[in-house]
C-alpha cells in the first residue's frame, strides 16, 4: 500500500472513513419515478462500493413527494426498506461508508415557468424544514452512516442562499437572511438525528452566474455551517437555472449554461479548476478555529493530483464523480500502487448529457450497451502485433494520428494517447474507445514540436507497451489551396464523447 495522505483514514463525527476519497452524488436515472431502490440502482452502488472509496454519497433523493423525472426518494417511511438493504449490502462487501444526499426542489414546467423562492409562503418554508428533518431521520433509521443536505446548484436551499434571493422578508436579500433557512434546516435535522450522526452539507463555493455570490460569501456560509455543527462541507460550483439554455417544450436543465460547465468541467477546463473555492473556504474557517473537513470536487483525475491538493492543505477530502464512474476501482488501484491501470475519464460529459435528457447515466467508455462499469481481474496486458505503427501528420491546422489494432486475451477497451510538447515530459492527453484508432489533435500551435505515443488498455486497465514515438514539427498556418474546403473531422476522430 502506498503512503499517501489520500489513503489515510479520517473520522467524521464517529464515521470512520478508510481513505479521503468521496464519491460525490451523481444522479443515475436508474430509478423509476416511483423513487424506490431497484436492482440497477443496487448494482450501481455495489459496483462503486467494491472500489472502496472512503465515502459514497448516494445520488440526490427527494425529501418531498413533488413530481419529477426518475429520482430516488426519502420522503416516506415506505422507502426505508429498500434503502436499508442497499446500505447494509454496501457495508457487507466494502469498508466504504455510505450517506444519502437529500434534496428539495421547486416546481418547474415545460413552458419555462419555474417557482421562485419569493413564491413560497411561510407555511411552505415550514414544510421544507419538516421534510428535511424527517428525511434525515429516515436516513439514520435506514442504516446509513450519515446524511448530506443538498444546498448546491439549482435547488431550493441553494436558491435561498443565492445572492439573487431578494425575498423582502427575513428569508432574503441580506446575507444573514439568506442563511436563515439553511440554519433552520440544519438545526431541525440535528434535532431529528441526534448529535452522534454525521450531517454533511453540499453547497456552491461560487454560483458562477451574473450577480451570483462568489467565494467571498461562501466563506461566510461555510463558517456558519461549521458553527452550526455540520460535520463536513462539500464544495461544488454553479449548476444554476439562471443561465440555463431553454429547449422548446423541455423543462429547464440547470447545467446547460456556463454555470453548468463550471459544475461539471469538461475537457477544455484545467484539472482542479474549482479547488480555489475549497482552498479559500477551508483557509477561512480554519482561521476562525473550525476544523470541519472540506471536500473539493471538479475534474480531479489522478491520485497524484489529488494528493498534491491535500499536501498543499487546500482541502481535507477529495470529491470525485465522473472519474469514479469511468473507473469505480480508482481507489483500489491507487491503494495497490497501480494508478497506471486507472481507466481515465476524458471529461467529454456524455454522462451529463444523458442526465440532461433523463436517460440512464452510463460512461461512454464502458463497453457498448452496458449500464454498469465492467469488472475484470485480468493481469495480461494488451500487445501490438505490428508494434502499433503509429502515424501522425499535420493537416488543416490539426495533427491527425492513426495506429494499428492491438490485441488482448480479454478485450481491448480503449487507446490512450500521450503527448509531449517541445520535448517536455509526456503526459496523458486523452483516450478513445477501442472502436476508433484515429485521433485528431486540435490543440496544437504552429511552430511547436509534438511527440506522441499510444498505449492500448484492456477492461482491467492493463496497458500495452507504448507504440513507437512519432514527432511532428507543426508548421505555422499551413496554407490550404485557395477555395479548397477544410477536410471534415469525422466523429470519433477527436474524442469518444463527440460521437454521442
Ligand atoms: C451525471 C451527473 C449527475 C450528477 N448528479 C449530482 C447530484 O445528484 N448531486 C450533486 O450534488 N451533484 C451531482 N453531480 C455533480 C457531481 O457530484 C460533481 O460535483 C461534478 O461532476 C464535478 O466533479 P467530477 O469532475 O469529479 O465529475 C452530478 C454530475 C454528473 C456528471
Ligand atoms: S461519459 Fe465521459 S465525462 Fe462521463 S465519466 Fe465517462 S469519460 Fe467521464
Amino acid at each position: 500500500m502506498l503512503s499517501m495522505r489520500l489513503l489515510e483514514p479520517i473520522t467524521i463525527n464517529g464515521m470512520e472513513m478508510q481513505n479521503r476519497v468521496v464519491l460525490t452524488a451523481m444522479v443515475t436515472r436508474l430509478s423509476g419515478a416511483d423513487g424506490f431502490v431497484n436492482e440497477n440502482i443496487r448494482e450501481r452502488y455495489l459496483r462503486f462500493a467494491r472500489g472502496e472509496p472512503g465515502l459514497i454519497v448516494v445520488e440526490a433523493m427527494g425529501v418531498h413527494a413533488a413530481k419529477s423525472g426518475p429520482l430516488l426518494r426519502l420522503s416516506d417511511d415506505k422507502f426505508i426498506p429498500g434503502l436499508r438493504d442497499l446500505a447494509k449490502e454496501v457495508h457487507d462487501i466494502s469498508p466504504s461508508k455510505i450517506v444519502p444526499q437529500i434534496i428539495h426542489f421547486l416546481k418547474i414546467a415545460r413552458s419555462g415557468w419555474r417557482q421562485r423562492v419569493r413564491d413560497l409562503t411561510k407555511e411552505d418554508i415550514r414544510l421544507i424544514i419538516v421534510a428535511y428533518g424527517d428525511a434525515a431521520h429516515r436516513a439514520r433509521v435506514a442504516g446509513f452512516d450519515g446524511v448530506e443536505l443538498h444546498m448546491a446548484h439549482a435547488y431550493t436551499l441553494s436558491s435561498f442562499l443565492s445572492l439573487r434571493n431578494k425575498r423582502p422578508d427575513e428569508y432574503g436579500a441580506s446575507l444573514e437572511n439568506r442563511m436563515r433557512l439553511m440554519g433552520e434546516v440544519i438545526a431541525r435535522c440535528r434535532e431529528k438525528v441526534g448529535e452522534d450522526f454525521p450531517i454533511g452539507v453540499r453547497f456552491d463555493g461560487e454560483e458562477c452566474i451574473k450577480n451570483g455570490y462568489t467565494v467571498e460569501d461562501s466563506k461566510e456560509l461555510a463558517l456558519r455551517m461549521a458553527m452550526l455543527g455540520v460535520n463536513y462541507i462539500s464544495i461544488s460550483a454553479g449548476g444554476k437555472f439562471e443561465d440555463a439554455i431553454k429547449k422548446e417544450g423541455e423543462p429547464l436543465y440547470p447545467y446547460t449554461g456556463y454555470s453548468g460547465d463550471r459544475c461539471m468541467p469538461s475537457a477544455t477546463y484545467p484539472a482542479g479548476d474549482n479547488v480555489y473555492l475549497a482552498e479559500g473556504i477551508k483557509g477561512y474557517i480554519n482561521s476562525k478555529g473550525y476544523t470541519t473537513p472540506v471536500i473539493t470536487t471538479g475534474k480531479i483525475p489522478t491520485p497524484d493530483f489529488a494528493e498534491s491538493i491535500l499536501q498543499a492543505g487546500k482541502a481535507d477530502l477529495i470529491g470525485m464523480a465522473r472519474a469514479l464512474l469511468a473507473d469505480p476501482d480508482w481507489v483500489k488501484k491507487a491503494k495497490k500502487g497501480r494508478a497506471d491501470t486507472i481507466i481515465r475519464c476524458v471529461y467529454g460529459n456524455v454522462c451529463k448529457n444523458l442526465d440532461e435528457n433523463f436517460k440512464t447515466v452510463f460512461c461512454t467508455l464502458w463497453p457498448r450497451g452496458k449500464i454498469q462499469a465492467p469488472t475484470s481481474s485480468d493481469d495480461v496486458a494488451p500487445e501490438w502485433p505490428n508494434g502499433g505503427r503509429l502515424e501522425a501528420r499535420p493537416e488543416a491546422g490539426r495533427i491527425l494520428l492513426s495506429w494499428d489494432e492491438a490485441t488482448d486475451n480479454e478485450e481491448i477497451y480503449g487507446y490512450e494517447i500521450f503527448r509531449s510538447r517541445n520535448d517536455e515530459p509526456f503526459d496523458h492527453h486523452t483516450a478513445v474507445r477501442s472502436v476508433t484508432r484515429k485521433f485528431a489533435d486540435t490543440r496544437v500551435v504552429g511552430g511547436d514540436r509534438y511527440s506522441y505515443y499510444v498505449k492500448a488498455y484492456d477492461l482491467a486497465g492493463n496497458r500495452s507497451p507504448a507504440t513507437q514515438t512519432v514527432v511532428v514539427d507543426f508548421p505555422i498556418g499551413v496554407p490550404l489551396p485557395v477555395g479548397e474546403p477544410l477536410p471534415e473531422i469525422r466523429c470519433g476522430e477527436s474524442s469518444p464523447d463527440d460521437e454521442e
Side-chain angles (χ1 to χ4, degrees):
M1 163 138 17
L2 277 189
S3 156
M4 287 179 113
R5 198 164 164 68
L6 183 69
L7 302 176
E8 283 174 11
I10 180 171
T11 301
I12 295 178
N13 191 12
M15 175 173 74
E16 291 175 19
M17 287 171 54
Q18 280 216 338
N19 56 68
R20 289 161 188 250
V21 176
V22 177
L23 166 67
T24 55
M26 190 171 16
V27 160
T28 59
R29 305 282 182 207
L30 285 168
S31 71
D34 63 5
F36 287 100
V37 173
N38 59 27
E39 188 52 27
N40 289 334
I41 293 271
R42 186 184 148 270
E43 270 182 43
R44 175 68 58 97
Y45 286 98
L46 293 182
R47 182 68 189 87
F48 280 132
R50 280 186 212 104
E52 303 180 1
L55 177 63
I56 294 172
V57 183
V58 181
E59 64 196 87
M61 44 187 98
V63 298
H64 60 323
K67 214 171 145 238
S68 80
L71 187 77
L72 287 177
R73 303 281 175 167
L74 201 40
S75 52
D76 190 287
D77 288 353
K78 69 184 179 190
F79 298 109
I80 294 176
L83 291 166
R84 181 186 284 132
D85 289 349
L86 178 66
K88 181 177 181 316
E89 276 195 88
V90 165
H91 289 144
D92 286 348
I93 64 158
S94 166
S96 298
K97 301 300 177 199
I98 179 165
V99 304
Q101 182 183 61
I102 58 175
I103 185 173
H104 187 281
F105 47 88
L106 298 177
K107 294 175 194 154
I108 52 172
R110 285 179 192 277
S111 63
W113 172 87
R114 65 187 171 89
Q115 198 179 21
R116 314 280 172 130
V117 296
R118 63 168 179 264
D119 301 330
L120 298 180
T121 63
K122 295 278 172 60
E123 177 58 9
D124 294 332
I125 291 177
R126 191 187 68 79
L127 291 176
I128 292 170
I129 299 167
V130 170
Y132 259 102
D134 290 349
H137 181 249
R138 288 185 195 106
R140 179 161 198 162
V141 174
F144 284 105
D145 298 292
V147 66
E148 180 174 293
L149 315 181
H150 199 344
M151 301 200 187
H153 311 158
Y155 310 109
T156 312
L157 294 182
S158 177
S159 302
F160 272 87
L161 293 177
S162 173
L163 192 55
R164 294 272 196 111
N165 168 11
K166 303 290 184 206
R167 264 184 83 107
D169 63 1
E170 68 269 33
Y171 286 100
S174 75
L175 181 55
E176 185 61 36
N177 285 348
R178 284 156 43 210
M179 291 197 281
R180 189 176 306 277
L181 180 57
M182 162 192 107
E184 290 173 347
V185 166
I186 292 169
R188 175 75 177 189
C189 290
R190 181 57 76 205
E191 189 190 317
K192 297 287 283 184
V193 300
E195 288 301 323
D196 59 345
F197 192 68
I199 296 179
V201 170
R202 186 160 219 228
F203 85 108
D204 279 352
E206 184 175 328
E207 292 189 87
C208 309
I209 50 171
K210 188 167 158 51
N211 297 329
Y213 70 71
T214 70
V215 71
E216 291 311 310
D217 272 10
S218 58
K219 286 176 184 170
E220 303 299 340
L221 302 178
L223 179 61
R224 181 61 58 85
M225 290 171 196
M227 291 166 77
L228 289 168
V230 158
N231 302 115
Y232 72 76
I233 299 173
S234 177
I235 309 300
S236 189
K240 308 296 286 184
F241 278 126
E242 282 78 358
D243 66 343
I245 295 163
K246 175 81 188 107
K247 268 203 237 161
E248 230 13 76
E250 294 295 326
L252 265 185
Y253 177 73
Y255 305 94
T256 40
Y258 169 72
S259 72
D261 285 359
R262 289 290 308 277
C263 183
M264 299 156 194
S266 68
T268 54
Y269 279 78
D273 66 323
N274 288 328
V275 172
Y276 77 98
L277 297 171
E279 182 182 7
I281 288 166
K282 177 174 158 58
Y284 187 67
I285 65 170
N286 288 173
S287 75
K288 302 285 181 188
Y290 290 91
T291 53
T292 315
V294 173
I295 306 175
T296 184
T297 306
K299 213 177 164 189
I300 297 172
T302 61
D304 281 350
F305 189 75
E307 180 69 9
S308 69
I309 295 168
L310 297 181
Q311 291 290 347
K314 294 176 180 174
D316 302 287
L317 295 156
I318 300 295
M320 283 185 297
R322 292 167 297 170
L324 296 184
L325 188 68
D327 191 345
D329 294 324
W330 194 102
V331 172
K332 227 175 183 175
K333 290 174 177 178
K335 279 201 224 170
K336 284 187 193 153
R338 292 306 310 272
D340 60 319
T341 60
I342 287 172
I343 314 288
R344 288 182 57 164
C345 170
V346 293
Y347 298 105
N349 272 337
V350 169
C351 50
K352 173 188 170 189
N353 294 339
L354 291 165
D355 177 37
E356 175 179 347
N357 292 299
F358 297 99
K359 291 189 180 152
T360 297
V361 172
F362 59 81
C363 171
T364 188
L365 301 177
W366 298 351
R368 269 277 178 259
K370 299 283 181 214
I371 60 162
Q372 306 293 353
T375 302
S376 168
S377 50
D378 171 57
D379 57 5
V380 179
E383 288 175 359
W384 299 106
N386 298 307
R389 288 202 291 221
L390 176 64
E391 286 178 8
R393 64 174 202 283
E395 189 184 289
R398 303 158 301 177
I399 295 178
L400 301 183
L401 273 68
S402 60
W403 56 89
D404 278 357
E405 197 170 2
T407 57
D408 187 59
N409 63 322
E410 203 181 38
E411 182 179 332
I412 297 293
Y413 196 17
Y415 296 97
E416 204 171 22
I417 293 134
F418 294 82
R419 186 180 93 161
S420 147
R421 184 173 174 180
N422 295 329
D423 303 320
E424 283 168 11
F426 279 86
D427 61 14
H428 163 99
H429 188 60
T430 190
V432 293
R433 285 206 326 262
S434 61
V435 287
T436 183
R437 281 175 282 113
K438 287 179 186 167
F439 174 71
D441 189 355
T442 54
R443 296 205 63 251
V444 282
V445 177
D448 282 353
R449 158 175 287 208
Y450 293 90
S451 309
Y452 301 89
Y453 63 79
V454 173
K455 288 184 177 184
Y457 59 91
D458 63 14
L459 294 174
N462 298 303
R463 266 40 173 201
S464 71
T467 59
Q468 88 281 17
T469 298
V470 291
V471 181
V472 176
D473 287 309
F474 191 60
I476 295 178
V478 189
L480 285 174
V482 178
E484 189 157 309
L486 206 70
E488 262 180 50
I489 306 176
R490 282 207 334 270
C491 290
E493 286 184 354
S494 48
S495 143
D497 294 335
D498 292 343
E499 287 177 43
E500 300 289 333

